[in-house]
Structures are given as C-alpha cells and as structure tokens.
Amino acid sequence: MSAVDDPAPYGTAVVWFRRDLRVRDQPTFLAAADGAARALALFVLDPALLDPSGAPRRTVLYRCLRELDEKLGGRLLVVRGDPADVVPHVAAAVDARQVHAAADFGPYGRTRDEAVEKALAEHGREFVRSGSPYAVAPGRVTKPDGTPYKVFTPFRRAWQQHGWRRPADTDARTVEWLDPDDKHGGPRRTRIPDDDRVEAELPPAGEQVALARWQEFLDDGATAYKRTRDRPDRPGTSRMSVHLKYGTVHPRTLLADLAGRSGDGVESVRSELAWREFYADVLWHRPDSARKNFDRRFDALPSDSGPAADEHFAAWAEGRTGFPIVDAGMRQLREMAWVHNRVRMIVASFLVKDLHLPWQRGARHFMHYLADGDLASNNHGWQWVAGTGTDAAPFFRVFNPVVQGEKFDPEGDYVRRFVPELRDVPGKAVHRPWELPGGPPNGYPRPIVDHAEERRAALDRYEQVRGGSA
C-alpha cells in the first residue's frame, strides 16, 4: 500500500533528523504526531557538510546514525544528496503534508532550510521547525534595547533569567514510523556508510552512551568540576561536547538534571553550557564571524606567511614545537580527536601569538581533526584566544606555554602520556627538557622559537592595530 492510499485520518509526515540523533526529548516527534498518523524518519547525507568534515566527525556521525536506526526498528531512511532536492522528493513519495525538523541557526543551515522550505511550498507542503540544538534558541536573549550581547557574563545572566522548557517526554514509540521500503518513487535508500579510516581513538557514540556518560559525570565529577576542569592530567571534564555536537543528548536535558543541584562545580558546568549557547547566538547575529574577525580592527594585524610560516605551522600541527604542553595537545588531537579545553587555549595562543599565524588556519585544522568540531564554539573559541572576538581575552594576554604546563600539569603526567620521547623525564622537569643535561632526550626537538622574543613581537604588532595609542 502506498502512502497515497493510507486510510489514516491525518496522513503522513516526515521527521528530518539533523543535529538531533536521539529519540528522547524530541519536540519534532510531538509536532509530527500531533499533525499526522504516521511519519517517515529521514536523514540526508549532505555532501556540502560531509565533504569538508574530517574522518573523525564523519565516523562518529555514522555510528550515531546506526544506533538511531536501531532504536527506530530499522526504519531510518538515509539518502544522499542536496536537501533542497532530496527532502521535497521524499515528502512527495509518502505524500507528506509537513516536514518536521529542529531549527538550524548556523549560516549554512539557515540558507539550506530556506531553500528546502521554498521547494516544499511550491508543492503545497509545509516545513515545520520545532525546537533547536540549544536550550534557548539563538536570537531570543537580547539586551533591553533589543541588541545582541557581545560580552558573555551579562548574556549568561539574561540567558538564565530567560529560562528554558522542560525536556520533551518522547521515545521511539511517540511516532508510528513508516517503513522506508514501502514508499514509492522516492530517492533510493542509502546504506549508512562504514566508518572512515581513523587513526584516532574515538569516544563511544550514540544516545545510550551519552546518557550513561552524563550520569557518570553527575555522580562522580560535577561537584569537583570547578577544581579539576583545568587539569589535563586528570579526568575532570564531562566529555559531553561530542554528544552535544550530534544531539545524542539535548542541553535542556543536562540543565534539567542540574536544576536540583548546587555548588561551585555545578555552576561551572551550567556556565560551560551557557558559553556554547553564547557562541551560537554570536554566530546567529554575525554569520561572517565564522571566518572573519568579529572585531574587524584586527584585520590590520600582520601575520606571517611563506615557507618559514608553513614550516612553523607544520611543526605545530604535528606536535614538534619543542614546547611539551603544546606538543602533547597537538598529539592528543590526532590520537583522540579531542583536546582538553585548557590545552586548546594554550596551543591556540602559541599558534597566533608565538608563531604569528592567523587564527583561521588553526581553527580549520581543529575542525578537520576534532570529533566534537562545532563551528560556533570552535571558531569563536579561537577568536577568544586571539583577542579578535566578542568577550575576548585581551590580545596582550599571551599564554606562556612553560608556565601553563607547570601550573596545570604540575607532575608532567599529561605530557608524558602523549610525548613518549619525554616519558623518562621525572616530574615538572618534563616542561623544560632543553635544561636537562645533554638537552632533550630521544630526539625531542628544542624550542622552535624563543617565547619571550615572540611575545614582544606579538605585542609590537598589536600596537600597530591600536595605532600606538595607550
């Protein structure tokens, strides 16, 4: 029986999954069930998003899709192509009056969804947005005069005062799912791709492990989070970023679980979620800030280029700068497709202010290798370090990689884990291997730059942006 012959009183709908690969807390399920008797679950493998992604992100995506398909009883239709062509085609194949999806607030997502909405409307079909990947949709929190916040702390206060909905009570049974093999005339079903060849040790993926990891963190890590989150040598972070990236858990779910808890650690966790929402809000108001300086004055900041700059970038990317905390971070990126947040700041500062390379170059490298690569959080985090964005650390704050290593990896355990050449160097001496008798062991390089000299050079360049004014 085709969907056209369906005797159900409300016909069919399409639920289009994007960054919400879960069955719990799904407003789209409720909206679809309210307007239709049955729905087709759809995911589109969009080359515009897949092709620029690195292998770690693609692999995590495929694993999330396989778990979601299993939860839906094998009824997830996966197709490949341009959503503006594919989604209307699928909707026509099942005679769906509505296509339901969570709103996308990114630059590409907004343009894509406008094209899909227009294509659907041409055939009398409706594109319905329900919910978003955020607790509070970007653009909702503004200053009293209606302008967006440019500083995090007042945004966070307004965001908390605004509040958010309770998690939606849904599961796989909320919607009666159509068998995608029963449709007629639609795009051919694509098998969920196998994992890409990834050398990194990727985190477990999917909704089940996301919820389990979150519960583990609530039980064992949330209380101490403020004290431990800056220590890369300890398992003090939640590791929820990859799950939030793919929507295998919604931030609203996390915030609901935090609501009955108190303490500095819990407030710090809530604050980190607010940072994610702040950067999404910034990108909503300033889509150009994904690639360009938010503070356009910094367009005049000189940066290095040419063969020597390329050699410096390669040394940074491969973890052979001679600064152990920097090299450990860059090797962790390759080995785990993830980097501790404190170390992300250290390696970013080193690239921009010690090597005088543009933050965009580092941001692209991170997006290629990170499993949790999120455009808003990644690129605005880089701008925070570079001093070119909203709420930026002042440009003249230059991370000293040696001091940072000694402070946040005091016994050197983090460095020794990722830099095997230094595994026999005891204690904090691992952060200054050039001071060892005979120099760095096992072929580990000496520092490629003098930090003190490059700090002065960075500040001199900053003065050019300021015009020499105090």
XYZ file of all heavy atoms in Angstrom, residues 148-204:
483
model
N 22.025 42.491 20.443
C 22.639 41.276 20.987
C 23.743 41.580 21.990
O 24.374 42.635 21.936
C 23.200 40.583 19.749
C 23.451 41.686 18.779
C 22.358 42.689 19.015
N 23.962 40.628 22.859
C 25.073 40.734 23.808
C 26.391 40.444 23.104
O 26.467 39.559 22.246
C 24.887 39.743 24.958
C 23.832 40.157 25.963
C 22.544 39.646 25.884
C 24.136 41.073 26.966
C 21.577 40.025 26.801
C 23.166 41.456 27.891
C 21.897 40.935 27.801
O 20.935 41.320 28.706
N 27.422 41.194 23.489
C 28.768 40.967 22.973
C 29.716 40.492 24.058
O 30.879 40.200 23.779
C 29.309 42.252 22.348
C 28.499 42.741 21.153
C 29.097 44.013 20.575
C 28.286 44.519 19.394
N 28.861 45.778 18.835
N 29.212 40.439 25.293
C 30.019 40.008 26.433
C 29.298 38.852 27.109
O 28.069 38.894 27.291
C 30.252 41.165 27.427
C 31.034 40.699 28.638
C 30.981 42.313 26.718
N 30.062 37.832 27.470
C 29.458 36.600 27.959
C 28.713 36.755 29.278
O 27.581 36.269 29.412
C 30.533 35.510 28.112
C 30.019 34.282 28.809
C 29.092 33.456 28.188
C 30.445 33.966 30.098
C 28.603 32.322 28.830
C 29.966 32.831 30.747
C 29.047 32.015 30.106
N 29.310 37.382 30.274
C 28.720 37.386 31.618
C 27.308 37.968 31.652
O 26.401 37.342 32.207
C 29.646 38.111 32.604
O 30.915 37.428 32.639
C 29.048 38.110 34.005
N 27.052 39.136 31.067
C 25.663 39.603 31.057
C 24.751 38.721 30.209
O 23.562 38.581 30.517
C 25.759 41.021 30.498
C 27.081 41.101 29.827
C 27.970 40.166 30.562
N 25.284 38.111 29.140
C 24.481 37.164 28.363
C 24.057 35.994 29.241
O 22.888 35.580 29.217
C 25.262 36.646 27.157
C 24.563 35.512 26.439
C 23.648 35.780 25.444
C 24.811 34.186 26.780
C 22.978 34.736 24.786
C 24.152 33.145 26.149
C 23.242 33.418 25.150
N 24.990 35.462 30.001
C 24.667 34.306 30.849
C 23.584 34.646 31.862
O 22.658 33.850 32.079
C 25.920 33.820 31.582
C 25.683 32.599 32.467
C 26.928 32.250 33.256
N 27.302 33.341 34.148
C 28.440 33.398 34.817
N 29.343 32.442 34.666
N 28.715 34.405 35.613
N 23.672 35.820 32.456
C 22.636 36.212 33.418
C 21.277 36.309 32.734
O 20.275 35.795 33.255
C 23.007 37.553 34.068
C 24.134 37.456 35.083
C 24.184 38.706 35.944
N 24.522 39.890 35.148
C 25.747 40.382 35.046
N 26.761 39.781 35.665
N 25.988 41.464 34.320
N 21.234 36.947 31.568
C 19.963 37.091 30.858
C 19.457 35.729 30.369
O 18.246 35.475 30.365
C 20.132 38.048 29.685
N 20.356 34.884 29.964
C 20.016 33.535 29.494
C 19.376 32.722 30.610
O 18.341 32.075 30.421
C 21.293 32.887 28.971
C 21.226 31.454 28.565
C 20.719 30.941 27.414
C 21.757 30.340 29.308
N 20.890 29.571 27.384
C 21.520 29.187 28.528
C 22.413 30.218 30.534
C 21.915 27.914 28.957
C 22.802 28.957 30.960
C 22.557 27.818 30.179
N 19.966 32.797 31.796
C 19.399 32.068 32.930
C 18.053 32.642 33.340
O 17.132 31.900 33.695
C 20.369 32.080 34.103
C 21.590 31.203 33.891
C 22.447 31.061 35.135
O 23.463 31.731 35.290
N 22.039 30.190 36.015
N 17.920 33.957 33.292
C 16.639 34.577 33.631
C 15.563 34.206 32.613
O 14.397 34.018 32.964
C 16.794 36.093 33.709
C 17.615 36.559 34.911
C 17.935 38.043 34.849
O 17.527 38.752 33.912
N 18.675 38.529 35.836
N 15.947 34.104 31.353
C 15.005 33.706 30.306
C 14.473 32.306 30.569
O 13.273 32.037 30.457
C 15.686 33.781 28.938
C 14.811 33.401 27.788
N 14.523 32.087 27.474
C 14.161 34.157 26.872
C 13.735 32.047 26.419
N 13.512 33.295 26.032
N 15.374 31.393 30.932
C 14.988 30.021 31.214
C 14.709 29.216 29.959
O 14.860 29.693 28.829
N 14.295 27.962 30.148
C 14.096 27.043 29.038
C 13.000 26.057 29.403
O 12.624 25.887 30.558
C 15.392 26.294 28.724
C 16.155 25.958 29.961
C 15.976 24.899 30.794
C 17.211 26.746 30.546
N 16.859 24.956 31.852
C 17.619 26.076 31.724
C 17.845 27.930 30.185
C 18.650 26.564 32.537
C 18.853 28.417 30.997
C 19.251 27.735 32.160
N 12.484 25.397 28.381
C 11.409 24.440 28.582
C 11.914 23.173 29.265
O 13.105 22.861 29.220
C 10.775 24.058 27.238
C 10.094 25.197 26.503
C 9.603 24.701 25.155
N 9.023 25.783 24.368
C 7.745 26.131 24.394
N 6.905 25.468 25.186
N 7.285 27.120 23.648
N 10.999 22.446 29.844
C 11.329 21.118 30.356
C 11.610 20.190 29.175
O 11.104 20.404 28.061
C 10.149 20.558 31.147
C 9.826 21.302 32.426
C 10.789 20.957 33.534
N 10.869 19.522 33.772
C 11.796 18.955 34.541
N 12.739 19.694 35.104
N 11.799 17.655 34.731
N 12.394 19.149 29.376
C 12.616 18.195 28.285
C 11.298 17.598 27.801
O 10.396 17.317 28.599
C 13.509 17.130 28.925
C 14.221 17.848 30.031
C 13.227 18.835 30.561
N 11.199 17.423 26.501
C 10.009 16.801 25.929
C 9.970 15.316 26.283
O 11.000 14.633 26.261
C 10.011 16.982 24.412
N 8.803 14.817 26.622
C 8.638 13.421 27.023
C 8.387 12.581 25.777
O 7.248 12.403 25.339
C 7.465 13.300 28.001
C 7.306 11.883 28.538
O 8.237 11.066 28.332
O 6.255 11.595 29.144
N 9.444 12.076 25.190
C 9.326 11.291 23.966
C 10.230 10.069 24.027
O 11.188 10.004 24.802
C 9.718 12.114 22.719
O 11.114 12.445 22.799
C 8.887 13.373 22.603
N 9.904 9.103 23.180
C 10.794 7.974 22.900
C 10.469 7.488 21.497
O 9.713 8.139 20.759
C 10.671 6.864 23.954
C 9.255 6.303 24.062
O 8.499 6.367 23.069
O 8.899 5.798 25.136
N 11.023 6.364 21.112
C 10.829 5.882 19.745
C 9.369 5.561 19.447
O 8.960 5.521 18.283
C 11.702 4.656 19.499
N 8.562 5.342 20.500
C 7.157 4.967 20.287
C 6.234 6.165 20.182
O 5.033 6.001 19.932
C 6.700 4.069 21.438
C 7.478 2.750 21.547
C 7.220 2.084 22.872
N 7.716 2.925 23.975
C 7.610 2.603 25.261
N 7.010 1.472 25.613
N 8.091 3.410 26.193
N 6.766 7.371 20.361
C 5.921 8.571 20.275
C 5.310 8.712 18.885
O 4.208 9.240 18.731
C 6.756 9.820 20.607
O 7.315 9.669 21.923
C 5.916 11.084 20.562
N 6.031 8.257 17.890
C 5.598 8.347 16.497
C 5.470 6.935 15.926
O 6.285 6.062 16.228
C 6.607 9.151 15.653
C 6.189 9.200 14.198
C 6.772 10.555 16.221
N 4.459 6.707 15.117
C 4.377 5.465 14.373
C 5.181 5.644 13.089
O 4.834 6.453 12.227
C 2.931 5.116 14.025
C 2.826 3.795 13.273
C 1.402 3.440 12.892
O 0.471 4.064 13.444
O 1.222 2.560 12.028
N 6.266 4.911 12.980
C 7.210 5.136 11.893
C 6.868 4.309 10.671
O 6.599 3.113 10.765
C 8.631 4.809 12.354
C 9.069 5.645 13.513
C 9.158 5.259 14.818
C 9.433 7.028 13.476
N 9.568 6.307 15.597
C 9.747 7.418 14.811
C 9.525 7.975 12.456
C 10.142 8.704 15.133
C 9.925 9.261 12.778
C 10.229 9.620 14.103
N 6.881 4.959 9.530
C 6.703 4.268 8.267
C 7.929 3.420 7.949
O 9.063 3.785 8.281
C 6.513 5.278 7.134
C 5.166 5.993 7.024
C 5.285 7.125 6.012
C 4.081 5.027 6.602
N 7.706 2.309 7.284
C 8.812 1.511 6.755
C 9.298 2.204 5.481
O 8.543 2.325 4.514
C 8.343 0.096 6.442
C 9.488 -0.812 6.024
O 10.544 -0.292 5.602
O 9.324 -2.038 6.108
N 10.538 2.685 5.444
C 11.010 3.409 4.249
C 11.015 2.568 2.985
O 11.002 3.115 1.878
C 12.424 3.846 4.639
C 12.821 2.937 5.748
C 11.561 2.601 6.487
N 10.992 1.246 3.123
C 10.979 0.395 1.941
C 9.594 0.304 1.305
O 9.443 -0.227 0.209
C 11.475 -1.009 2.299
C 12.946 -1.006 2.690
O 13.693 -0.185 2.134
O 13.337 -1.802 3.559
N 8.578 0.847 1.997
C 7.220 0.812 1.457
C 6.892 2.020 0.592
O 5.844 2.061 -0.049
C 6.185 0.740 2.600
C 6.199 -0.622 3.279
O 6.753 -1.571 2.694
O 5.660 -0.718 4.394
N 7.741 3.042 0.615
C 7.442 4.234 -0.169
C 7.665 3.941 -1.650
O 8.368 2.994 -2.015
C 8.311 5.412 0.282
C 9.795 5.235 0.030
C 10.577 6.427 0.504
C 12.066 6.207 0.254
N 12.380 5.933 -1.138
N 7.083 4.766 -2.487
C 7.161 4.530 -3.925
C 7.647 5.806 -4.628
O 7.132 6.880 -4.401
C 5.798 4.125 -4.472
C 5.281 2.853 -3.880
N 5.733 1.617 -4.258
C 4.373 2.633 -2.906
C 5.108 0.678 -3.569
N 4.275 1.280 -2.732
N 8.635 5.647 -5.467
C 9.066 6.763 -6.291
C 10.032 7.726 -5.629
O 10.418 8.715 -6.232
N 10.441 7.460 -4.403
C 11.351 8.369 -3.721
C 12.800 8.017 -3.991
O 13.112 7.044 -4.685
N 13.729 8.811 -3.451
C 15.155 8.526 -3.637
C 15.523 7.156 -3.084
O 14.925 6.675 -2.113
C 15.838 9.649 -2.841
C 14.804 10.712 -2.715
C 13.490 10.021 -2.652
N 16.493 6.552 -3.695
C 16.942 5.229 -3.267
C 17.567 5.293 -1.877
O 18.330 6.197 -1.568
C 17.945 4.676 -4.265
C 18.466 3.284 -3.919
C 19.423 2.782 -4.973
N 18.757 2.681 -6.277
C 19.384 2.299 -7.389
N 20.686 2.021 -7.355
N 18.719 2.226 -8.526
N 17.222 4.324 -1.064
C 17.778 4.260 0.294
C 19.273 3.978 0.219
O 19.730 3.099 -0.515
C 17.072 3.162 1.085
C 17.431 3.117 2.563
C 16.608 2.041 3.271
N 16.729 2.120 4.717
C 16.073 1.345 5.564
N 15.228 0.434 5.096
N 16.229 1.476 6.860
N 20.031 4.747 0.992
C 21.478 4.585 1.040
C 21.869 3.845 2.313
O 21.372 4.158 3.400
C 22.179 5.964 1.039
O 21.838 6.663 -0.165
C 23.688 5.817 1.141
N 22.730 2.873 2.175
C 23.240 2.191 3.363
C 24.096 3.156 4.168
O 24.869 3.931 3.600
C 24.086 0.979 2.940
C 24.633 0.157 4.112
C 25.416 -1.037 3.577
N 26.543 -0.616 2.773
C 27.737 -0.279 3.271
N 27.951 -0.285 4.586
N 28.709 0.075 2.459
N 23.929 3.148 5.480
C 24.760 4.006 6.318
C 26.221 3.626 6.088
O 26.586 2.449 6.202
C 24.389 3.863 7.794
C 22.936 4.314 8.022
C 25.337 4.684 8.683
C 22.413 4.029 9.413
N 27.062 4.575 5.725
C 28.450 4.231 5.381
C 29.201 3.566 6.523
O 28.876 3.748 7.714
C 29.071 5.592 5.038
C 27.909 6.467 4.681
C 26.783 6.006 5.554
N 30.196 2.791 6.148
C 31.109 2.235 7.146
C 31.961 3.363 7.721
O 32.075 4.443 7.140
C 32.018 1.185 6.512
C 31.238 -0.023 6.011
O 30.212 -0.355 6.616
O 31.660 -0.612 5.001
N 32.574 3.095 8.866
C 33.461 4.086 9.474
C 34.586 4.443 8.517
O 35.093 3.579 7.787
C 34.072 3.533 10.763
C 33.043 3.315 11.857
O 31.875 3.708 11.658
O 33.410 2.752 12.899
N 34.950 5.723 8.502
C 36.138 6.117 7.771
C 37.377 5.543 8.464
O 37.329 5.154 9.637
C 36.254 7.645 7.736
C 35.345 8.268 6.686
O 34.726 7.506 5.925
O 35.256 9.496 6.639
N 38.460 5.509 7.730
C 39.718 5.042 8.337
C 40.240 6.153 9.238
O 40.669 7.206 8.781
C 40.725 4.707 7.244
C 40.297 3.557 6.358
C 41.345 3.234 5.319
N 42.603 2.809 5.935
C 43.694 2.496 5.250
N 43.683 2.552 3.917
N 44.804 2.130 5.875
N 40.163 5.908 10.532
C 40.537 6.911 11.525
C 41.587 6.313 12.441
O 41.390 5.236 13.012
C 39.315 7.357 12.366
C 39.711 8.424 13.363
C 38.200 7.863 11.469
N 42.688 7.024 12.580
C 43.727 6.552 13.483
C 43.420 6.906 14.925
O 43.918 6.267 15.852
C 45.080 7.146 13.074
C 45.553 6.701 11.687
C 46.900 7.293 11.326
O 47.467 8.020 12.170
O 47.378 7.025 10.209
N 42.586 7.911 15.133
C 42.297 8.373 16.479
C 41.436 7.365 17.237
O 40.648 6.624 16.661
C 41.587 9.721 16.428
N 41.609 7.379 18.544
C 40.776 6.574 19.443
C 39.511 7.378 19.735
O 39.498 8.245 20.603
C 41.545 6.281 20.736
C 40.763 5.483 21.751
C 41.516 5.327 23.066
O 42.728 5.599 23.095
O 40.879 4.944 24.058
N 38.445 7.103 18.999
C 37.239 7.909 19.094
C 36.409 7.535 20.315
O 36.402 6.374 20.747
C 36.391 7.736 17.834
C 37.006 8.231 16.535
C 36.081 7.953 15.373
C 37.305 9.720 16.623
N 35.679 8.509 20.861
C 34.814 8.212 22.005
C 33.612 7.399 21.543
O 33.232 7.447 20.368
C 34.378 9.603 22.478
C 34.417 10.443 21.241
C 35.591 9.923 20.454
N 32.996 6.637 22.436
C 31.757 5.935 22.077
C 30.706 6.935 21.617
O 30.683 8.078 22.073
C 31.348 5.248 23.390
C 32.595 5.176 24.204
C 33.392 6.386 23.834
